[in-house]
Amino acid sequence: MFHVKQFDVIVVGGGHAGTEAAAAAARRGARVALVSQSRAQIGTMSCNPSIGGLGKGHLVREVDALDGLMARAADAGAIHYRMLNRSKGLAVQGPRIQADRRRYRAAIHQLLAATPNLSIIEGEAVALTLASGRLSGVRLRDDTTIAAPAVVLATGTFLGGRIYRGSEREDGGRVGERPALELGVQLRALDLPMRRLKTGTPPRLDGRTIDWARLSPQRSDDEPWRMSPMTRGPRLPQLACAVTRTNMATHDIIRAGLDNSPLFSGAIEGQGPRYCPSIEDKVHRFGDRDGHQIFLEPEGLDDKTVYPNGISTSLATDVQHAMVRSVEGLERAVITVPGYAVEYDHLDPRALDHRLALTALPGLFCAGQINGTTGYEEAAAQGLIAGLNAAALARDDAPVILDRASAYIGVMIDDLVLQGVSEPYRMLTARAEYRLALRADNAETRLSAIGEAANCISDERRAHIARRMAQRDDLRASRVAPSAVDADIAREIEEDARYAPYLARQAEEIDRMRRDGAIAIPTGAALHAIAGLSNEMIERLTTAAPATLDEASRVRGVTPAALAALWLHARKSA
Amino acid sequence: MSDTIFALSSGRPPAAIAVVRVSGPAACGAAQALAGRCPPPRHASLRTLRDAAGAALDRALVIYFPGPATATGEDLVELHCHGGRAVVAAVERALAAVPGLRHARPGEFTRRALENGRIDLAQAQGLADLLEAETEAQHRTALAAAEGAVGRAVGGWLDRLSAIAAQVEAQLDFADEADVEDAGGYDPAPAIAALLAEWRATLAAPSVERLRDGVRVVIAGPPNAGKSSLFNALADRDAAIVTPIAGTTRDVLEAAVMRDGIPYRLTDTAGLAEATDDEVERIGIDRAATAMAGADILLWMGAPVEAPAGAVILAGKADLPGADHTGADLAVSARLPHTIAALWALLADRAGAMLTIDGDMALRQTQRDRLAEAAAALDLARRTTDLLIVAEQLRVATRPLAALLGKDATEAMLDALFGRFCLGK
């Protein structure tokens, strides 16, 4: 008999969702196993080299406020800082960095190594194990079994992953890495609502073959801001990006290559993201444009690879080659890895609750692209919440649920579990109805108390927060001058004052939301017993499974009368 | 803390008495606003109700029931008014103008009674069915509206609003990436102003409910101009009189008349004399002014120079020799049937125009409320150059319109955003 290793939480997948989930669960005191096919690949940035941006920067700061890894690793790897929307209000400013991939990954490894209670297990999870209808752990390719009452699936595009490039096909989640096929088959067999989505990545270029002198550079911000307020010390040397653009010749090459495009031949059934279209999509849908921008982003200080942001493609390799060389500055550019599209399985996130737990299989949590999202930041934010709640389940602690008024994380999860997705979900500031209050610069103020209550904050950060909270209190009470506190805090308090009348009006809206959020409503079969609910309403409520009256009010198509009936029922049962 | 709500809680006027209930924390304040002060608890007091401008609306019994031992469990005020439609409408208007008060939604008094434990669960059982029945009706209405002119208009407004919001959001979320080339420097102000002007014009038209009750024709002018003879000629001589309705006072008379398929509500007003010491006459004159303000068509029988804007100017007593018709649209006399027929033709013209343009596009009260909510938000959007606030107000404005069509406001905006711009890298 083999000795079965026992943990509180198992995390499957070492990407942005998986690493945050593992670290978050461990911070709450859970014994955690992080299972990854390749130890070395943990913390890899599979697509673009940037972290943050509009809406996404908010998520990074929120993850950081709850002591997550991403912001600190981003600072450790940052070779380019850019505050987007600097000229606009703080609510829509988006901090974004570009990271040296190797240094970013090293920083994640370091942070994980410094996290107590966290073991990394190299291996491929092939099956979830069940014991009397409950999840009991996972089985690996080598037949070892690891046991835990809670499992977080953060498999990214590896679940049923299939790579497309021209007429080439390959099974895999990233080029050169195996997909998680068995696990996908098992999830489908569990009768979970699985669907297909697709995403893509551009070809990588050898930076030494780019004619930089002909292109206009975009430099890193001079102002020394950081992703995490915890980061100390000097920045790495900063690199400039460059901007070039496609032209009519490029578009002709692309059009001529469409015959062999899996996107246009119908080989790919999954829906791709509208806000991150492939270059063939852009040329096809916006045929009148005479050019599309390409940002040439260096991938590292001692890595000559350049990421040409803006030309994600799954065209055949020779077409990619001709397309790249038609662009100014890239006439002699060499492609090191061609671009590709990847189609993968995801779970309809309406099968999850606000903890990101799967209702149909107690103990199973899902985070990241498996839930139909796209982006490192979206993945990290979900990983954090899934990890905190997996630890809560295993150790009988309180769940951590952020609502729409607390955080972009709350907006995203609420959107996912109530509305589902029709394309890969990306965070946008327009999705947050309390955008004026949810700013990237005030994440610490918004979330510190929640992190403290969840007991997921290190002593070092606790001291840091206490010092800064005192500064805020002093400044708000005019006990000190703005110049006597941290500069970002002075700006934060100034911005609060500017939007105070609007924030006050939103506060009433938030009160109403929270009041209705305290009214629990029935789910599942119990809905049929409620007088006055039509079959259509029952179906909508069953799919999204809202737990409270407030959540029900956001399920699309649910009428005021249905809400009244739910409310009456809740009253009666109280 | 909950809002304070009000509604007519007796049957539909006209009736002898109409009871308007006000429930919520501001109930007593509302009584104070209309009746001068809130009477002592559980005492019926006779008071003159006035609107914010001080115009008398009615003499009514005002009763104050402090919560929680009331029908709704909240502070409750009952206004027992005279049961004329004009009175009830005026009192409801005055209440709506009190800060913190709003018109109750269907079933809301019952909901509060339940919420506060004032009716038991057995009593509550029936309510869900009742509400469901109401949605069925609402559902049909919404469907009809969605297919009809209103649905098309609201859909068009939502599209335009979403397009403006998309332009603004494109600047907020994407402009800094420089991939929103055609959105750079977009100024939403002209599009917002155009939309707002359209909404205001729509809101200025009478609602479906109003039109169903009849086109309001008000006869006004100085005393002894022949108003009452004309009123009788229009009302009495027509076989289609429905009911002569005694108005709320001796000096405003109303009659409902159906002619050529168009419903009219005729109102005769007191002569607009100079300042008077007589209290009764003064109230009558106030009422005349109120009726004139609410007229869809105002027939002015007096000197053309004194005619209110938009009024039809009539020269009365056309049968008298030497009558001066200068400046009048029409000369009429109760004794000359062809002049009355000419007046009916003129009324049919005006009312017809009103009913065909607005009949198609006339909004129901709930639709008007949503549109007014959207218009208020849009008005604020117009008054700032901070894109963030503009976006915020556009969001507030989009929601009620999207709700009318059963759409999701954010999705509508995102569809417009991604349909228009080539976004993202």
Side-chain angles (χ1 to χ4, degrees):
Chain A
M1 182 75 197
F2 291 112
H3 172 65
V4 173
K5 290 182 204 143
Q6 178 70 45
F7 292 92
D8 292 321
V9 174
I10 300 167
V11 178
V12 179
H16 304 286
T19 49
E20 291 291 356
R27 286 201 301 279
R28 275 198 111 176
R31 288 165 302 148
V32 180
L34 172 58
V35 178
S36 169
Q37 284 189 22
S38 154
R39 180 185 290 266
Q41 290 290 341
I42 288 175
T44 291
M45 301 168 71
S46 342
C47 194
N48 65 61
S50 10
I51 287 181
L54 296 167
K56 291 165 170 279
H58 291 73
L59 290 174
V60 179
R61 288 274 173 81
E62 289 174 359
V63 168
D64 186 64
L66 296 171
D67 218 7
L69 316 175
M70 184 170 254
R72 283 177 285 159
D75 280 329
I79 50 176
H80 186 99
Y81 281 83
R82 184 161 160 80
M83 183 64 76
L84 299 175
N85 266 344
R86 185 178 286 285
S87 63
K88 304 197 181 93
L90 283 181
V92 289
Q93 290 193 5
R96 187 183 70 189
I97 63 105
Q98 274 154 37
D100 175 310
R101 287 178 193 279
R102 205 172 51 73
R103 286 179 170 80
Y104 180 86
R105 189 166 55 202
I108 290 286
H109 281 244
Q110 226 167 45
L111 287 164
L112 289 177
T115 306
N117 308 322
L118 197 161
S119 322
I120 293 173
I121 296 178
E122 197 167 43
E124 183 189 347
V126 291
L128 302 169
T129 59
L130 303 175
S132 47
R134 260 194 90 82
L135 191 63
S136 61
V138 301
R139 187 161 47 78
L140 305 184
R141 169 78 59 207
D142 65 2
D143 268 345
T144 37
T145 299
I146 39 180
V151 173
V152 180
L153 283 186
T155 50
T157 59
F158 279 71
L159 217 54
R162 190 162 167 78
I163 286 171
Y164 294 82
R165 183 191 297 124
S167 50
E168 298 169 62
R169 307 283 182 271
E170 187 188 331
D171 287 337
R174 263 192 306 248
V175 152
E177 294 180 56
R178 289 191 311 275
L181 288 176
E182 288 94 332
L183 204 51
V185 169
Q186 189 189 18
L187 288 177
R188 280 193 187 264
L190 282 171
D191 207 19
L192 299 175
M194 305 297 290
R195 315 215 192 299
R196 299 287 273 174
L197 283 173
K198 79 113 192 162
T199 185
T201 194
R204 307 300 198 272
L205 308 178
D206 182 337
R208 292 166 298 191
T209 61
I210 294 173
D211 189 355
W212 295 98
R214 295 183 55 187
L215 304 173
S216 55
Q218 196 176 58
R219 299 191 193 293
S220 180
D221 285 349
D222 290 330
E223 194 195 320
W225 62 270
R226 311 308 288 268
M227 266 302 182
S228 171
M230 300 285 287
T231 300
R232 294 284 168 272
R235 286 176 174 179
L236 295 174
Q238 299 292 293
L239 298 183
C241 300
V243 187
T244 181
R245 54 191 294 132
T246 60
N247 52 50
M248 293 313 243
T250 320
H251 298 179
D252 288 340
I253 294 166
I254 289 167
R255 284 196 196 92
L258 286 184
D259 294 348
N260 212 358
S261 150
L263 276 182
F264 288 85
S265 69
I268 293 181
E269 55 174 284
Q271 176 71 41
R274 286 182 296 184
Y275 35 73
C276 186
S278 62
I279 186 66
E280 47 267 41
D281 247 344
K282 292 185 194 176
V283 169
H284 179 72
R285 288 180 49 216
F286 297 92
D288 55 328
R289 295 264 304 252
D290 60 1
H292 297 273
Q293 294 203 66
I294 304 173
F295 291 81
L296 298 172
E297 302 171 348
E299 296 210 344
L301 290 177
D302 27 41
D303 178 349
K304 293 305 165 204
T305 307
V306 166
Y307 182 95
N309 209 338
I311 52 169
S312 157
T313 182
S314 57
L315 291 168
T317 306
D318 57 332
V319 181
Q320 293 190 27
H321 203 77
M323 166 183 96
V324 164
R325 294 214 162 176
S326 70
V327 174
E328 184 180 14
L330 305 182
E331 292 86 349
R332 275 182 296 278
V334 170
I335 293 180
T336 54
V337 184
Y340 58 89
V342 56
E343 197 181 30
Y344 55 97
D345 282 347
H346 80 94
L347 177 80
D348 178 346
R350 288 178 296 181
L352 304 171
D353 64 20
H354 280 75
R355 298 172 302 152
L356 294 178
L358 193 66
T359 318
L361 184 53
L364 188 60
F365 295 76
C366 296
Q369 272 171 304
I370 190 173
N371 292 341
T373 61
T374 170
Y376 305 149
E377 305 81 357
E378 287 83 352
Q382 291 171 68
L384 173 86
I385 295 300
L388 292 176
N389 285 305
L393 179 84
R395 298 166 45 81
D396 209 14
D397 269 342
V400 179
I401 292 171
L402 305 179
D403 69 17
R404 299 183 74 90
S406 315
Y408 274 69
I409 298 176
V411 172
M412 173 177 65
I413 291 176
D414 191 65
D415 282 348
L416 289 175
V417 305
L418 291 180
Q419 315 294 358
V421 298
S422 54
E423 63 179 324
Y425 180 100
R426 177 214 206 264
M427 197 70 242
L428 298 165
T429 68
R431 297 194 197 272
E433 54 272 65
Y434 308 117
R435 173 162 69 186
L436 292 172
L438 304 183
R439 310 193 314 252
D441 71 297
N442 66 7
E444 188 177 271
T445 306
R446 289 186 278 122
L447 297 176
S448 288
I450 293 171
E452 187 61 47
N455 198 25
C456 64
I457 290 182
S458 68
D459 290 341
E460 186 195 354
R461 188 177 297 261
R462 187 172 291 115
H464 169 86
I465 290 169
R467 179 181 67 80
R468 284 163 57 88
M469 284 301 178
Q471 288 193 356
R472 289 186 182 92
D473 290 345
D474 284 347
L475 186 54
R476 285 202 196 95
S478 305
R479 284 190 292 268
V480 297
S483 57
V485 300
D486 293 357
D488 61 325
I489 286 181
R491 272 207 78 186
E492 176 189 330
I493 304 293
E494 187 192 329
E495 192 81 351
D496 286 347
R498 178 171 310 155
Y499 290 112
Y502 295 91
L503 296 176
R505 201 195 60 202
Q506 287 198 338
E508 291 171 26
E509 231 177 283
I510 292 168
D511 270 358
R512 200 177 319 130
M513 178 190 84
R514 291 194 169 143
R515 214 168 38 234
D516 283 353
I519 300 175
I521 59 169
T523 51
L527 287 169
H528 291 271
I530 297 177
L533 273 190
S534 67
N535 284 334
E536 187 198 343
M537 290 304 127
I538 291 173
E539 195 189 318
R540 286 178 189 277
L541 293 168
T542 305
T543 311
T548 68
L549 193 63
D550 166 59
E551 289 171 22
S553 75
R554 283 193 300 279
V555 175
R556 229 162 271 161
V558 168
T559 63
L563 294 174
L566 287 171
W567 178 84
L568 272 178
H569 182 84
R571 272 277 144 181
K572 193 174 116 198
S573 323
Chain B
M1 194 174 93
S2 61
D3 308 342
T4 297
I5 56 173
F6 66 87
L8 175 68
S9 58
S10 55
R12 192 174 155 81
I17 297 286
V19 179
V20 176
R21 271 185 170 174
V22 186
S23 176
C28 201
Q32 195 177 346
L34 268 70
R37 63 192 158 89
C38 193
R42 293 169 217 292
H43 277 271
S45 324
L46 185 63
R47 295 283 160 76
T48 299
L49 304 184
R50 293 174 190 281
D51 65 16
L57 307 173
D58 194 23
R59 298 268 292 167
L61 282 179
V62 180
I63 314 175
Y64 165 51
F65 304 94
T70 64
T72 56
E74 303 176 323
D75 284 359
L76 191 71
V77 165
E78 287 186 358
L79 306 171
H80 296 234
C81 313
H82 292 96
R85 289 185 205 188
V87 169
V88 173
V91 169
E92 290 197 321
R93 257 198 315 277
L95 285 171
V98 176
L101 262 66
R102 64 172 171 80
H103 205 281
R105 286 186 279 269
E108 203 171 6
F109 280 95
T110 319
R111 181 179 161 145
R112 289 193 176 192
L114 224 107
E115 212 164 357
N116 296 317
R118 297 303 298 172
I119 54 176
D120 65 23
L121 295 168
Q123 287 169 290
Q125 283 298 312
L127 190 61
D129 295 333
L130 197 77
L131 283 164
E132 185 56 26
E134 171 150 333
T135 19
E136 290 298 329
Q138 279 172 353
H139 194 59
R140 281 194 298 276
T141 314
L143 278 181
E147 287 160 7
V150 172
R152 279 194 301 277
V154 174
W157 290 332
L158 186 59
D159 286 349
R160 283 163 65 188
L161 201 52
S162 301
I164 301 170
Q167 293 265 19
V168 173
E169 293 294 343
Q171 285 195 73
L172 289 178
D173 255 6
F174 294 96
D176 211 40
E177 295 285 66
D179 49 13
V180 188
E181 291 167 353
D182 28 358
Y186 171 73
D187 176 10
I192 289 175
L195 205 48
L196 191 58
E198 249 177 74
W199 289 358
R200 287 189 169 152
T202 305
L203 286 170
S207 68
V208 171
E209 287 84 350
R210 273 273 317 281
L211 291 174
R212 208 193 290 129
D213 281 354
V215 176
R216 290 190 205 169
V217 179
V218 175
I219 308 171
N224 202 26
K227 296 189 299 296
S228 294
S229 312
L230 181 65
F231 177 81
N232 287 332
L234 291 174
D236 282 343
R237 290 174 55 143
D238 197 288
I241 295 177
V242 182
T243 38
I245 298 166
T248 49
T249 75
R250 290 163 297 168
D251 39 17
V252 171
L253 286 174
E254 286 190 16
V257 175
M258 178 77 91
R259 185 161 173 122
D260 297 334
I262 300 175
Y264 296 92
R265 298 199 63 85
L266 305 178
T267 305
D268 184 20
T269 62
L272 297 173
E274 295 300 309
T276 171
D277 289 338
D278 183 339
E279 177 71 3
V280 175
E281 201 176 335
R282 205 189 58 71
I283 290 174
I285 291 168
D286 283 349
R287 282 172 198 246
T290 307
M292 286 166 66
D296 297 321
I297 302 173
L298 179 63
L299 301 179
W300 176 255
M301 303 193 72
V305 290
E306 290 165 12
V312 176
I313 301 168
L314 299 179
K317 303 181 182 175
D319 55 315
L320 297 182
D324 179 14
H325 304 163
T326 319
D329 295 313
L330 200 64
V332 291
S333 163
R335 299 209 183 108
L336 300 175
H338 70 275
T339 62
I340 300 303
L343 179 55
W344 274 123
L346 185 147
L347 288 176
D349 242 30
R350 296 245 174 155
M354 210 176 276
L355 288 169
T356 44
I357 295 169
D358 301 320
D360 257 358
M361 247 318 289
L363 304 182
R364 292 172 187 287
Q365 195 56 48
T366 49
Q367 295 167 331
R368 291 170 68 83
D369 289 350
R370 297 282 173 107
L371 187 60
E373 197 184 314
L378 213 51
D379 190 41
L380 288 174
R382 215 165 53 120
R383 293 163 193 276
T384 173
T385 53
D386 183 337
L387 269 192
L388 204 50
I389 299 300
V390 173
E392 166 69 11
Q393 294 303 329
L394 288 172
R395 179 182 73 79
V396 175
T398 309
R399 225 168 17 174
L401 294 189
L404 274 180
L405 297 182
K407 290 188 174 174
D408 183 281
T410 305
E411 278 307 309
M413 187 284 294
L414 291 179
D415 284 344
L417 183 70
F418 294 120
R420 182 179 178 103
F421 299 113
C422 183
L423 294 174
K425 295 181 185 170

